[in-house]
Amino acid sequence: MDPRRGPLAVPKVRRVGFFTSIEPSPETPRPNRSLSGPAEAITSSSPLSDSPSGQFISPVQIPPSRHHSDNLASRAAPVPVPGPSAFRRQLANDRTLHVGSYNPVDSLLGTSPPSSNGEVSEDSGSLFGFQRSDSAKLSASFPNGGFDMTVAVRAPGESEAKVATASTSDGRKKNVEASGESESVATKPRKEKETRSLKEKTSKAERRAIQEAQRAAKAAAKGEGSKRAGESSRPKPSKPAKQPQPKKEAPQVTSSVSEKRAVSVEKERRMDVPQTQMQYDDKSRVDKAKRRSVVEQTESKNKVELFLHLPQYERGNQLPNLSSNIFTLDTIHHAVYKVGLQHLAGDIAGDNARCIAMLHAFQEAINDYTTPPMKDLTMDLTAKINGYVSFLIECRPLSMSMGNAIRFLKNQIRKLPVDLSEPEAKASLCSEIGRFIDEKILLADKVIVQHAVTKIRDGEVLLTYGFSCVVEMILLYAHEIGRKFRVVIVDSRPNLEGQKLLRRLVTRGLDCTYTHINAVSYIMGEVTRVFLGASSIFSNGTLYSKVGTACVAMVANAFSVPVIVCCEAYKFHERVLLDSICSNELGDPDAIANVPLRNNKKHSKTMDNNKNLQFLNLMYDSTPAEYISMIVTDYGMIPPTSIPVIVREYRREDLLL
Amino acid sequence: MWRRSASFILDRSSNSPPMADTTQTPFQNPDAISAYYQTRAAHHGVITSDWLAQAQAAVEQPDSSVSDLGAERSFNVIDEFNGWRKQPDLAEAVAAIRAMAAVIRASEATTMMELEIELKKASDTLKSWDKTSISLTAGCDLFIRYVTRTSALEYEDFNSAKSRLLERAEKFGEISCKARKIIAMLSQDFIFDGCTVLVHGLSRVVLEVLKTAAQNNKLFRVLCTEGRPDGTGVLLSNELSKLDIPVKLLLDSAVAYSMDEVDMVFVGADGVVESGGIINMMGTYQIALVAHSMNKPVYVAAESYKFARLYPLDQKDMAPALRPIEFGVKIPAKVEVERSARDYTPPQYLTLLFTDLGVLSPSVVSDELIQLYL
C-alpha cells in the first residue's frame, strides 16, 4: 500500500491543467484518461465507490489480463460483482443513466473498445472538472508506481497513437478566446488518444467486423443524425437513448461506431463551447498551428517546465525573415503587417499603444477591404479579421485589452444591418473603431486622471512601478495643477521602462527618486501612495500587470500604504485568474541572461546549452485583490470587488453578445 | 431598479405609527464646528422617550403647513430644510429629501430643464450649508439621481412630468422615512437570546434595532461605550434601561478589555462610502479593529441614503468635521487637541451592513452606488 501510494503523493499538481505531452513517453497521456474514472465514480455516488481506497488505487488493483473478458461479461451481467473497481464503475455507469458506455479502466488498458469517452467527459465536464484534475494528480504519478503490467500492455499502442493524433486532430481549431479552459484542455487530448489506441488494438478480424457494423449503423445513424441536428443545441439527451442498445449486443463493434458519432457530436459541440487559449504543450495543435502560420518561428530550447503551455520562441530571427517577404504575403493587410512587425520588434510597448495601433491597422484594412463576389461581408470580414488576429498572435501574444478590443470589433461586424451597402458598412465600422479608441481609451484616460488627482495631496510621496502612460498623465497633471509631491519610480530589469518615465518627469520638473525593485522594501517606508498601471483586471479583482507589480503591491500592503490601480474599463476581463501561471507571456530569455555593460561573451558561452540552466523571463504577474485598495477607472473610483459589476452593467451593450 | 427596498419586511408586522412632533429651540450654524454634530448634539438632548411621547400626543400635520408656506412666499430651501430638521426623530438627510421635494412642489419652472437646474441649485445650497455632513450630501445627490432618472422626463406634457417627479420624490421620502423600521426588522434577527451587544455612539437606527429586538422578546445584554465627549453612551443607556434591557456602561478605553464577553458589535454610520467602509463617530475604527482581531462580527446599521460617493483611502482623506471637546480641566495653550469628530472604518473590518435595501456585505455598497450613478 505504502510503496504504491508513495509516488501518488508526488505533487505534480501544476501539470494537471495543461499537461499532456511534455515528454514523449507513452505514459504521459494516461493520467488524463484515467482520471475521469474516479471522478465518475465519485459523482455518481455509488455506495461502493465511497470507500477511498476504491477510488484511488483502483487502477492498480485490476489485473489487466482478466480485464479483457471479464469486463465485457460484466457489461452483459446485470449484477455487478463487488470487488474489482472496474465493476464498481460499471455499477456507477449503470446508475448514471447510460451517459455512455464509459468504462475508464477499459480505456486505460486499451483492451476493450472505449466507446464514447469524450462524450461522457464533455457532458460532465463542467461538473467534474475539479475532481478530475484532482485525481489526475494521483494517476499522473501512477506509471511510476511500479505497476509494470499496464505499462507493458499499453506502451506500444500509445506511442503510435501519439504520432497519429497529429493528423487526426484537424477538427480542432486553434483558439483565441478563453474560458472553460480546464475542461476542454483535459478532455481533448485524452479522447484523441483513445480513438487511436482503439484502432491499434483491434485485430484485423475485429476491424472488419467494425467496418461492417459501421456500414449498417450508418444508415441508422443518419436517421438519428437528422434528429440530432434538430436538437443540436442540446445534444446531450439524445445520446443516452441511442447508445445502450447496440452496446449490449456487440459491444466491441458498435461502440466504435458510436464513438465516431461521438466525435462528430463533439465537433459540433466544440463550436458552441467558448474556445480556450491555445496550450502550447499540446503537440498536435502546435504543429497544426505552425503549418498555418505566417511567421516562421523556431522554438526555443530553453524551456521552463511550469510554463510549457505558453508560446515560447526564439527571438530575433523572425524579424528579418518577415520583413523580407513583406511583398509576398498578400493575405495580411500591410497595415496589420506593420503593426505585427512593430509588436514583434518591441517598437510599440504598453497595452494602450499596442491596442490603438492594432485598431488603427484594422481601420485601414477595413477601408481597403472589398467583399469578394458571392460572399457575405459579415462572414468574410470576420474571417479576414480572424486571420489578422492570428497573425498578430504569432508576432506576439495578444494582451487582454487587445482581446477585448477584437471582441468589440467582431461584435460590431456581426451587428451590422444586413441592408447596409458595403461602403456604408465600412464607414460605420471605421467610425465605431474610432469611437472605441476615443471613448474607451483616450477619454477614459482623461477621466481617470481627473479622479486620481483628487487622491494626491500636498506633501505626498507617490510610488510607481515601471511605466504606465495613465500614471504618467496623472503625475504630470497633478504637477500642472500645482500639487507638491515627490515621485519614487521603481524599475526592474530587463526592460527598464521606468527610465522612460523618469526622463519625462524630470524634464517636466518633478521631484523624482529612481530605484530598482530590490530596494522597494526600503523605500516603501517613506511612501504614502502607490500608483500602478494595469494590463488587465479580472472578475475576481485580480490585477494582471507587468511582472513585479505584485511584489510592489504586497510590500505596500505590508507597510499599509494604499495601492491605487489605474485601469481603463475596457481592459476588464470577465474571466477569473488565480495565479500567474495559467495565463502569462514569456519574454526573451536572453534578456535576463545578458547583463548590459558587461562582456558577456565568455559568460554566455558557459550558460548556453547548459541542461541544468533555464531562464525564465515572465512578462506578467497577478496581484490578488486584497492587496489593492482602489481601482480608478473611467467609471470612477471603485473597490476591486466591484469589477464584475462594471463588466456586467456596462460592457454588455458594446462588447458582449 | 436600484430602489428595491426591503420594505416588505414591514408588511409582515404591524408597525407603530410614525413619530412626528413639533418644533423646538431655534438653531444656528457656527462656522468653525461641524453643524452636523451640532444637530446631533441638540437632538441628543431631547431624544428621550418621554419627551417623544409628549410630542406624539401633540402631533400635528407638518406636511400641509410647510408646503403651503413654501408655495406662497419666495421659496428658500434652507428654511424648509431647517423646518424639517427640527424634528428630532427625522434624520438630516430625510429632512433634506423632504425639503427637496418641497422645492419641486413650489417650483414655478415651466420646462424640465429649468426644474432640474432649480433642483440642482437647491441641492448645492443645502450641501454648502453643511459640508461636513455626509448623509446630507449623499441624500441630496441620491434624491436628484432617483427623481430625475426616470422616463418621466420624456413626457410631452410638463405638468404630468412634474407630477410624476413629485410622486417619485414623495416615494423616495417615504422609503427614507421607513428605512429605520425596515432596518430594525431586518437586523433584529441577528440578535439572539443571551447575546451581548456592544454599541458605540447614539445611533437612532441602532436604538430602533435594539428596541425592536426587545419588543420581540429577545433576551440580550448591551454594553454601551461612554462616547466622549458627547456622552452618547450615557444617553443610550438611559434609553435602553427604560426598555428594561440590561445595559452596562464602559469607558471608551475599556472596549478591548470587555471584548471577549461581547458577541457582536453594533454601530450606526454617518456615511457609508464606496469601498463599503463607514464613516462614523470617533472610536468606531478602533472598536472595529479590536473586534476584528478577536473575531467578533461588526454590524453596521445605516439607511441607504447615507451611501456616499466618497472613497477615502485613509483617515486624513476626508475633510475633518471638528467639534468642541471639553476636558474638564484647563488645557495649556501649547497643547494641541484633536477635535475631529469622526473616523473612517475600512470595509475589511466590517461584517455586514443592515440597510433598507437588505442585509449587505460591504462590497455590495459599491455595486449599488455604481448602478445608481453610472
Side-chain angles (χ1 to χ4, degrees):
Chain A
M1 185 81 180
D2 271 344
R4 258 194 232 140
R5 282 217 173 193
L8 297 189
V10 175
K12 297 267 181 183
V13 192
R14 281 302 186 191
R15 294 184 158 197
V16 171
F18 38 77
F19 180 80
T20 40
S21 51
I22 290 184
E23 55 218 80
S25 85
E27 287 89 23
T28 37
R30 198 187 311 140
N32 277 336
R33 181 176 323 150
S34 58
L35 40 122
S36 67
E40 181 91 21
I42 292 162
T43 39
S44 59
S45 74
S46 135
L48 289 167
S49 66
D50 277 350
S51 72
S53 64
Q55 289 168 16
F56 291 138
I57 20 174
S58 51
V60 186
Q61 283 179 337
I62 307 150
S65 55
R66 204 178 105 191
H67 200 70
H68 223 312
S69 50
D70 257 6
N71 196 38
L72 298 177
S74 82
R75 274 202 185 140
V79 185
V81 185
S85 57
F87 296 158
R88 285 180 210 162
R89 292 235 180 71
Q90 192 56 45
L91 177 64
N93 265 348
D94 288 343
R95 288 182 181 206
T96 50
L97 264 176
H98 292 283
V99 185
S101 61
Y102 180 50
N103 189 335
V105 186
D106 294 357
S107 52
L108 176 82
L109 300 171
T111 45
S112 78
S115 51
S116 50
N117 290 321
E119 259 178 272
V120 175
S121 51
E122 278 293 301
D123 286 343
S124 48
S126 54
L127 280 169
F128 297 171
F130 283 109
Q131 279 123 323
R132 186 189 302 140
S133 49
D134 264 347
S135 44
K137 203 191 312 176
L138 302 169
S139 42
S141 47
F142 156 55
N144 314 330
F147 184 48
D148 292 331
M149 295 271 276
T150 30
V151 178
V153 173
R154 285 182 71 258
E158 259 323 287
S159 56
E160 280 167 346
K162 184 159 256 187
V163 178
T165 35
S167 57
T168 47
S169 58
D170 277 342
R172 267 127 234 157
K173 291 186 79 181
K174 177 172 146 191
N175 304 319
V176 184
E177 274 156 42
S179 84
E181 244 176 295
S182 63
E183 180 190 337
S184 43
V185 170
T187 51
K188 273 177 219 162
R190 169 171 15 127
K191 195 172 49 50
E192 286 168 21
K193 304 280 153 61
E194 260 146 35
T195 66
R196 300 310 297 173
S197 65
L198 153 75
K199 284 190 185 157
E200 304 303 330
K201 286 292 150 192
T202 45
S203 73
K204 234 179 211 170
E206 278 170 339
R207 250 178 270 157
R208 200 172 304 141
I210 289 171
Q211 277 178 350
E212 266 161 18
Q214 270 176 343
R215 239 169 275 146
K218 224 170 221 171
K222 254 181 197 158
E224 280 168 344
S226 61
K227 218 190 295 164
R228 191 194 316 141
E231 47 183 357
S232 62
S233 57
R234 258 167 41 82
K236 226 193 270 184
S238 67
K239 271 173 289 140
K242 25 174 197 194
Q243 271 158 18
Q245 284 181 335
K247 186 179 62 184
K248 288 265 160 65
E249 299 155 15
Q252 274 191 330
V253 177
T254 42
S255 60
S256 85
V257 176
S258 72
E259 198 228 330
K260 265 208 165 173
R261 227 179 288 153
V263 171
S264 69
V265 171
E266 178 66 17
K267 268 184 197 165
E268 276 172 35
R269 195 169 314 146
R270 193 153 299 146
M271 295 305 178
D272 304 338
V273 171
Q275 295 192 319
T276 63
Q277 266 184 340
M278 175 145 160
Q279 303 287 306
Y280 283 79
D281 48 355
D282 185 343
K283 264 247 170 84
S284 60
R285 294 174 60 203
V286 170
D287 286 346
K288 202 157 53 64
K290 249 191 198 160
R291 257 179 279 130
R292 281 182 301 157
S293 73
V294 180
V295 188
E296 255 190 53
Q297 296 186 318
T298 43
E299 286 198 42
S300 102
K301 279 165 256 134
N302 168 45
K303 288 198 164 182
V304 184
E305 187 178 356
L306 210 50
F307 295 92
L308 284 172
H309 60 292
L310 300 172
Q312 189 173 54
Y313 299 109
E314 294 277 6
R315 299 261 164 154
N317 54 356
Q318 319 99 311
L319 192 56
N321 197 349
L322 263 182
S323 41
S324 63
N325 48 7
I326 188 161
F327 299 111
T328 60
L329 281 165
D330 49 349
T331 49
I332 309 295
H333 189 268
H334 59 87
V336 179
Y337 204 88
K338 186 176 127 199
V339 171
L341 289 183
Q342 280 169 329
H343 282 184
L344 190 60
D347 289 349
I348 308 179
D351 275 333
N352 280 348
R354 280 175 68 194
C355 189
I356 292 176
M358 179 190 75
L359 287 175
H360 278 311
F362 284 164
Q363 238 174 347
E364 233 174 284
I366 289 173
N367 259 332
D368 294 348
Y369 170 83
T370 43
T371 318
M374 306 298 289
K375 278 198 174 160
D376 179 36
L377 179 126
T378 317
M379 302 290 274
D380 192 52
L381 191 55
T382 311
K384 264 257 164 36
I385 297 282
N386 280 340
Y388 297 160
V389 169
S390 50
F391 167 76
L392 287 178
I393 292 176
E394 282 158 24
C395 291
R396 185 181 163 185
L398 297 183
S399 65
M400 299 289 166
S401 50
M402 289 162 81
N404 280 344
I406 290 165
R407 267 206 312 189
F408 163 82
L409 175 59
K410 281 191 189 165
N411 208 32
Q412 290 299 331
I413 296 175
R414 197 173 338 145
K415 281 200 303 200
L416 281 177
V418 191
D419 51 346
L420 223 55
S421 74
E422 194 188 300
E424 278 173 337
K426 277 158 58 179
S428 115
L429 279 180
C430 284
S431 75
E432 281 300 325
I433 295 176
R435 198 177 59 85
F436 185 87
I437 295 175
D438 286 342
E439 279 181 18
K440 300 279 171 189
I441 305 179
L442 301 178
L443 205 62
D445 280 348
K446 290 203 178 93
V447 176
I448 289 173
V449 168
Q450 293 296 334
H451 281 297
V453 142
T454 61
K455 291 293 157 202
I456 302 180
R457 292 169 302 188
D458 279 352
E460 286 208 285
V461 182
L462 312 178
L463 182 142
T464 181
Y465 175 69
F467 178 82
S468 156
C469 59
V470 194
V471 172
E472 187 202 352
M473 285 160 78
I474 291 167
L475 297 176
L476 289 179
Y477 182 72
H479 181 69
E480 239 167 64
I481 61 172
R483 297 276 154 81
K484 303 267 177 295
F485 61 93
R486 205 154 66 79
V487 181
V488 178
I489 299 171
V490 177
D491 208 351
S492 72
R493 289 200 59 239
N495 286 348
L496 297 176
E497 293 164 337
Q499 291 183 351
K500 187 163 72 169
L501 179 65
L502 179 70
R503 218 168 290 131
R504 294 186 191 184
L505 293 187
V506 167
T507 51
R508 297 290 281 272
L510 276 86
D511 187 2
C512 293
T513 307
Y514 179 84
T515 181
H516 272 204
I517 195 166
N518 321 17
V520 71
S521 64
Y522 164 75
I523 204 87
M524 197 57 84
E526 56 189 82
V527 172
T528 58
R529 297 265 190 280
V530 174
F531 279 90
L532 296 175
S535 177
S536 181
I537 302 182
F538 290 82
S539 266
N540 56 347
T542 304
L543 166 68
Y544 181 71
S545 190
K546 186 180 144 40
V547 71
T549 306
C551 171
V552 173
M554 285 172 188
V555 172
N557 192 65
F559 281 77
S560 47
V561 176
V563 177
I564 300 165
V565 176
C566 306
C567 181
E568 300 85 356
Y570 86 102
K571 287 179 179 172
F572 292 174
H573 205 284
E574 69 275 4
R575 252 170 60 190
V576 162
L577 190 70
L578 296 176
D579 55 34
S580 11
I581 296 167
C582 289
S583 171
N584 214 320
E585 188 184 332
L586 293 178
D588 184 7
D590 295 339
I592 293 196
N594 297 334
V595 181
L597 305 176
R598 194 195 283 177
N599 190 6
N600 288 310
K601 290 264 168 63
K602 192 177 124 216
H603 192 53
S604 61
K605 232 170 232 164
T606 57
M607 301 227 278
D608 274 354
N609 305 321
N610 187 341
K611 248 199 337 205
N612 297 323
L613 176 64
Q614 286 150 349
F615 294 107
L616 177 63
N617 183 8
L618 283 179
M619 303 290 275
Y620 297 101
D621 65 9
S622 63
T623 313
E626 63 254 38
Y627 299 106
I628 303 169
S629 320
M630 172 200 278
I631 294 168
V632 187
T633 97
D634 29 337
Y635 293 112
M637 299 180 278
I638 56 170
T641 49
S642 289
I643 299 292
V645 188
I646 300 273
V647 172
R648 165 162 45 94
E649 298 287 317
Y650 301 103
R651 287 258 297 278
R652 215 171 359 193
E653 69 264 28
D654 50 22
L655 278 181
L656 304 178
L657 305 174
Chain B
M1 186 59 216
W2 174 73
R3 268 279 161 188
R4 43 159 208 284
S5 155
S7 58
F8 58 85
I9 194 104
L10 288 186
D11 304 338
R12 289 196 305 217
S13 61
S14 58
N15 44 346
S16 58
M19 300 185 184
D21 51 72
T22 52
T23 57
Q24 35 118 24
T25 51
F27 201 81
Q28 60 269 44
N29 177 23
D31 294 358
I33 59 172
S34 162
Y36 179 72
Y37 289 94
Q38 285 291 310
T39 320
R40 297 284 307 262
H43 284 174
H44 294 160
V46 293
I47 188 179
T48 56
S49 49
D50 35 76
W51 188 87
L52 278 178
Q54 271 179 20
Q56 214 168 334
V59 76
E60 56 170 316
Q61 295 329 89
D63 275 65
S64 54
S65 65
V66 167
S67 57
D68 289 347
L69 204 81
E72 282 156 18
R73 60 184 170 86
S74 67
F75 188 80
N76 186 350
V77 210
I78 300 291
D79 293 345
E80 178 78 33
F81 171 61
N82 279 340
W84 284 107
R85 209 166 57 103
K86 281 166 194 154
Q87 301 183 15
D89 208 43
L90 211 55
E92 204 177 50
V94 181
I97 288 163
R98 285 278 158 92
M100 298 276 283
V103 170
I104 301 183
R105 214 176 290 125
S107 162
E108 282 152 13
T110 50
T111 65
M112 217 59 226
M113 204 61 205
E114 242 178 290
L115 186 60
E116 252 181 85
I117 291 169
E118 216 165 295
L119 264 181
K120 188 92 188 59
K121 217 184 281 170
S123 95
D124 284 346
T125 334
L126 272 180
K127 280 193 261 181
S128 62
W129 183 81
D130 182 5
K131 285 195 171 132
T132 53
S133 169
I134 294 165
S135 63
L136 177 63
T137 316
C140 288
D141 285 347
L142 286 175
F143 178 86
I144 292 198
R145 291 305 294 199
Y146 178 72
V147 169
T148 59
R149 209 169 119 159
T150 160
S151 55
L153 299 178
E154 281 139 36
Y155 283 166
E156 283 162 27
D157 182 13
F158 173 71
N159 281 331
S160 65
K162 187 175 165 184
S163 62
R164 175 99 185 168
L165 278 195
L166 210 54
E167 203 177 291
R168 283 179 73 84
E170 295 291 349
K171 198 167 150 227
F172 189 84
E174 189 96 341
I175 294 172
S176 306
C177 269
K178 266 200 253 166
R180 211 172 286 163
K181 277 260 177 290
I182 298 169
I183 294 168
M185 286 310 291
L186 283 175
S187 46
Q188 54 103 12
D189 287 340
F190 285 76
I191 296 174
F192 51 90
D193 275 343
C195 72
T196 306
V197 184
L198 178 72
V199 180
H200 180 67
L202 176 51
S203 158
R204 281 167 289 195
V205 196
V206 173
L207 180 58
E208 187 76 38
V209 170
L210 297 176
K211 210 188 268 175
T212 313
Q215 277 163 4
N216 289 356
N217 300 324
K218 300 269 168 93
L219 298 172
F220 59 97
R221 201 158 69 99
V222 178
L223 302 188
C224 272
T225 57
E226 182 199 0
R228 284 268 298 142
D230 309 330
T232 51
V234 183
L235 289 169
L236 185 67
S237 58
N238 192 16
E239 282 299 302
L240 292 175
S241 66
K242 272 180 205 150
L243 297 167
D244 282 336
I245 300 170
V247 59
K248 187 183 189 180
L249 261 181
L250 304 174
L251 282 180
D252 288 332
S253 43
V255 167
Y257 169 77
S258 35
M259 189 56 84
D260 55 356
E261 56 180 304
V262 168
D263 291 308
M264 66 189 77
V265 177
F266 241 106
V267 291
D270 294 348
V272 181
V273 296
E274 199 156 354
S275 60
I278 56 163
I279 293 170
N280 195 30
M281 181 186 157
M282 186 63 87
T284 309
Y285 183 30
Q286 69 197 31
I287 290 175
L289 278 176
V290 171
H292 182 76
S293 70
M294 297 205 187
N295 294 321
K296 311 283 183 189
V298 179
Y299 298 135
V300 178
E303 300 91 335
S304 63
Y305 56 72
K306 287 176 175 168
F307 287 13
R309 284 218 88 193
L310 291 172
Y311 203 129
L313 285 167
D314 50 34
Q315 301 299 329
K316 301 279 154 43
D317 215 2
M318 312 167 284
L322 303 178
R323 67 171 169 197
I325 294 179
E326 282 300 314
F327 283 93
V329 291
K330 197 172 167 351
I331 308 287
K334 279 180 188 166
V335 175
E336 223 181 320
V337 177
E338 175 64 64
R339 295 202 301 152
S340 183
R342 61 192 182 193
D343 59 16
Y344 162 62
T345 311
Q348 60 262 39
Y349 302 112
L350 306 178
T351 314
L352 286 174
L353 294 159
F354 301 131
T355 76
D356 48 315
L357 307 177
V359 180
L360 314 177
S361 74
S363 63
V364 182
V365 174
S366 146
D367 300 7
E368 297 288 347
L369 280 170
I370 289 173
Q371 286 184 33
L372 182 66
Y373 277 99
L374 296 173

